[in-house]
Amino acid sequence: MEKEELHLEVEREARAKGNNVSPAVIKRLPRYFRYLRELIRNGKLRISSGELSAMMNVTASQIRQDLNCFGGFGQQGYGYNVHYLYAKVCEILGVGEGYSAIVIGSGNLGRALVRNPMFEKRGVDIVGMFDVSPEVIGKRVADIEVRDMQELESFCETCRVDMAVLTCPKENALDAAERVVKLGIKGIWNFTGKELEHLGENVVIENVHIGDSLMTLCYELRALEEKNLSEDV
């Protein structure tokens, strides 16, 4: 088999493996993205699973298992080429695919997200922002005009939109989600606090509950305080 054909075969096998990857592995991939990006900034050219383990507080064995889900990318005795591994992780995560997003809801959270550089760093282009309040329609947030929700359908007919970021009030979440799904939008990043699910076989939803993370922190803080008190007795 020619070298190029072998490479394509490896790529096909990696993609096939990726279709059956566990959610736990998928949730760790953005961490690899962040740490590898930092290594590139620091001029690091290669790294072993042991070195990466020390940085990420994940066992070297787990790192190798995670990456083997997509083909491995390492070489025994050499480790990982940082630039190559970063490029492969970006490819797996869809960074640089040219995805575009709209934000529905121009409240404090919506405005903060639009102003956040994370979208650009991950290759997602915010192309529109929508609201129902006459007080904000027509204003600009980070050079994005806030449009009337009544323009949603016409906007999506003329502009490709891959995902919708929902920061509208909780009671409007389902209506907004159903509208964007009818328009062919396949991805929903939901910050409304309402659990959204079963909106179609070809729709992916990421429900984000910021309050859950805060309560987890509160629990761990309380547990730490109780532990310290018991040790003082």
Side-chain angles (χ1 to χ4, degrees):
M1 186 180 292
E2 296 293 332
K3 185 176 180 181
E4 184 176 350
E5 291 179 349
L6 179 61
H7 175 73
L8 290 173
E9 182 64 27
V10 170
E11 290 290 324
R12 282 193 290 269
E13 289 180 4
R15 284 194 293 270
K17 287 182 178 181
N19 290 333
N20 298 306
V21 177
S22 74
V25 174
I26 294 170
K27 287 189 177 295
R28 280 193 291 272
L29 285 176
R31 291 192 67 207
Y32 291 113
F33 171 85
R34 288 189 282 109
Y35 280 96
L36 289 166
R37 185 175 60 186
E38 182 180 337
L39 288 169
I40 289 172
R41 285 183 186 144
N42 293 332
K44 187 81 169 177
L45 297 178
R46 70 185 178 98
I47 192 167
S48 68
S49 57
E51 292 173 306
L52 199 52
S53 167
M55 290 179 62
M56 296 180 60
N57 197 27
V58 176
T59 67
S61 174
Q62 184 66 71
I63 289 172
R64 290 192 294 271
Q65 288 178 42
D66 287 352
L67 297 179
N68 280 338
C69 291
F70 304 95
F73 314 125
Q75 184 178 341
Q76 191 170 1
Y78 178 86
Y80 299 101
N81 179 302
V82 174
H83 283 269
Y84 177 74
L85 182 56
Y86 176 73
K88 298 308 291 185
V89 170
C90 286
E91 179 184 322
I92 293 164
L93 289 171
V95 176
E97 289 291 323
Y99 291 131
S100 57
I102 56 172
V103 177
I104 297 180
S106 64
N108 292 334
L109 180 57
R111 294 196 303 273
L113 288 173
V114 169
R115 292 179 177 130
N116 196 305
M118 68 176 171
F119 287 95
E120 182 180 357
K121 290 179 179 178
R122 286 155 181 81
V124 178
D125 184 24
I126 297 180
V127 295
M129 191 173 194
F130 295 84
D131 206 293
V132 296
S133 173
E135 296 177 356
V136 298
I137 293 170
K139 294 185 177 180
R140 304 188 78 83
V141 179
D143 206 33
I144 299 293
E145 181 183 355
V146 181
R147 299 172 182 268
D148 194 317
M149 274 293 287
Q150 292 183 3
E151 299 178 42
L152 181 64
E153 283 73 15
S154 60
F155 179 89
C156 291
E157 286 176 2
T158 58
C159 184
R160 171 188 162 186
V161 180
D162 300 295
M163 62 183 75
V165 183
L166 305 187
T167 63
C168 55
K170 183 177 182 178
E171 58 270 21
N172 302 126
L174 183 57
D175 177 65
E178 289 176 341
R179 283 180 69 179
V180 300
V181 168
K182 286 180 181 178
L183 291 169
I185 295 173
K186 305 296 186 185
I188 297 176
W189 201 17
N190 173 33
F191 287 87
T192 66
K194 181 178 179 61
E195 197 78 10
L196 296 176
E197 55 185 2
H198 307 310
L199 291 173
E201 291 183 2
N202 296 317
V203 178
V204 288
I205 305 167
E206 184 72 16
N207 292 304
V208 182
H209 297 280
I210 297 175
D212 289 6
S213 180
L214 176 59
M215 286 188 292
T216 300
L217 177 61
C218 291
Y219 168 83
E220 293 177 348
L221 182 59
R222 180 173 172 273
L224 177 63
E225 291 172 344
E226 288 180 350
K227 177 177 178 290
N228 291 336
L229 283 173
S230 64
E231 290 177 351
D232 291 339
V233 174

